Structure formats: structure tokens, C-alpha cells
Amino acid sequence: MNGVAGILDSAPEAEDPEALNCWLELPPGYFPLPLDDIDNALATAEANLRELAPEEQRPLLAAVVGTLGVLLEQLQERNGAYCGIGWHTAEDGAVVPSSLVVSIQPFPHKRNPRLVIKDLIEARAEAGEHGQVDVVDLTRGPAVFFESVLTLPRPQLPGRPPNEQPDAEVYQLQALVPSEDGRKLAAIDFTTPDIPHGPRFRAMMVLMADSVSFTPPPGSEEAGETARSISKILGGLAP
């Protein structure tokens, strides 16, 4: 998130676990990755994969699982509420891989949510980040969407020759939804290496952002847990 991350990283840690409560609708087609008990969950997954993977690919598992563990621990430290990997089939038959991350950030004082959004946009501009910025009035209030193409380093797998192209471009669409009192912020990040198909997920992201609630909706789980209802097919892509 770069410039925006500066604001998110400066937010205080929540002393009350309920301060990080958030409810939202998650789209189908995503496989959730563990954000609790990460080491044990990945160790179990690695053991299972070793039995299924071809022998020549087994040496790569430890490196891949180790890298994934570091990334998930970083998400956990930044109040990550959900991380999922998805594969969706587009109308033209292409299979589109993507990642979806949701995190919740607390702020120390009440504030107009539009001023929170203003600060987020200014932080991005000051960081020299480029892309499409849209402020949208959703059912529960304003949200801001950042759409851009990022250049990221390709991971280097051990035992493989160096990447001919060390960097890769990815499409990212981020939705930032502040609470009504400006004391919480839900950050939803969608990323895919399939840049041409990335814009097709705009409807999915708008519907996800519109479903965000910082108070328990009727029929949700008890306070203290993140309610994740996967009851809608969001966007124009089928899982």
C-alpha cells in the first residue's frame, strides 16, 4: 500500500479486541489462508502436500511454505482479518488467479470519515503513487477506491535459474472504508497478475465495500468474531 501504509502503520494497536470487529460479505471462489496458529497450519499443509507433490517438486515446498509463513505473519501483525487465494473463470474462458486481503485498522480519535479519506488520498499523492482514485458514497457512508498497476519483484525459487525478468506488473484495486465515527478503517486489497482481467473485479470490490459494517448486523455471529457470510455471487466472474 506504500503511501497509504504509512497512515495505517501509524495507527495505534487496539487494546480492546472488539475494537477490530468488522462484518462483511466475502465472494466465493477464494481459499482462505490461516491468520491464526500459522506455523501449525502451514506445517500440516506442507506434510500433506509432500505426499501429493511429484518428487522433483518436493524440495521447493519448504521454501514456498516458509515465504508464505512470513507474509501471513506480517498480515497478522497489521490486523489482518482475512487472506484468500482465488481462481475464477472469466467469460472468455481464462482462469484468473488473485489474492484478497482484508485488514482492520483503529484510530485514536473520532473524526469525520470524509476527512479520513482526504488524508489517505493526500498520503498517496505525497508518496508519488499513481493510479485512478474514486470516492464513492456507499450505503453506510463514503469509501475511496485506488486502482493501479504495480511493479513488484518476482520471487526467486531456490535451485532455479535467476529470473530473466526480475520484476512483474500486477493489477491492484484497493477499497478503504472508514467507520461512521472515523475510528476504524477496513482495507480491502484485491491483486492479480492478470492485468487485462483485473478491471472485471470492480463490481465485486464495490459490493464488498458496501457490505462492510462495524456493528453486528442482524443474524451475525456474536461480537468479538468476524462474521464472514459467503451467500452472494459478487461481480461478473464465476468461480
Side-chain angles (χ1 to χ4, degrees):
M1 288 186 292
N2 300 331
V4 175
I7 290 181
L8 301 185
D9 287 340
S10 65
E13 294 185 1
E15 297 180 359
D16 181 2
E18 292 191 5
L20 298 179
N21 283 350
C22 178
W23 290 259
L24 72 158
E25 298 260 3
L26 288 177
Y30 283 92
F31 176 81
L33 299 178
L35 289 175
D36 295 312
D37 196 18
I38 295 172
D39 290 340
N40 287 334
L42 290 182
T44 300
E46 182 179 1
N48 292 333
L49 289 173
R50 282 188 178 278
E51 296 181 3
L52 300 174
E55 185 174 352
E56 64 274 12
Q57 295 182 3
R58 291 175 185 173
L60 299 176
L61 281 176
V64 172
V65 170
T67 301
L68 184 59
V70 172
L71 294 175
L72 293 175
E73 288 174 0
Q74 291 179 351
L75 286 176
Q76 185 184 55
E77 292 173 359
R78 296 180 64 157
N79 299 327
Y82 175 83
C83 177
I85 302 295
W87 289 267
H88 294 80
T89 303
E91 294 176 356
D92 59 5
V95 177
V96 184
S98 66
S99 65
L100 188 65
V101 175
V102 180
S103 61
I104 314 300
Q105 303 296 334
F107 292 103
H109 306 294
K110 292 183 178 181
R111 201 164 183 228
N112 188 314
R114 295 188 182 278
L115 294 179
V116 175
I117 287 176
K118 174 178 174 291
D119 285 347
L120 294 170
I121 295 174
E122 290 180 349
R124 198 176 185 99
E126 291 173 0
E129 298 179 20
H130 303 285
Q132 178 67 32
V133 180
D134 293 289
V135 179
V136 179
D137 286 317
L138 302 175
T139 303
R140 296 176 178 83
V144 60
F145 293 83
F146 295 109
E147 186 174 13
S148 59
V149 175
L150 306 178
T151 300
L152 302 176
R154 293 179 186 270
Q156 179 61 52
L157 296 177
R160 296 294 180 89
N163 294 320
E164 295 182 1
Q165 297 179 335
D167 296 328
E169 290 187 335
V170 298
Y171 170 92
Q172 184 182 70
L173 180 54
Q174 180 186 66
L176 299 176
V177 186
S179 61
E180 186 177 356
D181 61 7
R183 296 198 63 180
K184 286 191 260 184
L185 181 78
I188 308 171
D189 287 276
F190 166 85
T191 306
T192 178
D194 190 335
I195 296 174
H197 286 95
R200 300 192 182 195
F201 288 82
R202 289 169 180 159
M204 181 189 83
M205 287 289 287
V206 171
L207 289 172
M208 276 192 69
D210 195 43
S211 75
V212 169
S213 175
F214 296 96
T215 57
S220 68
E221 298 174 3
E222 294 181 359
E225 298 181 7
T226 301
R228 296 168 181 158
S229 170
I230 311 179
S231 60
K232 291 182 180 179
I233 298 178
L234 303 180
L237 301 179

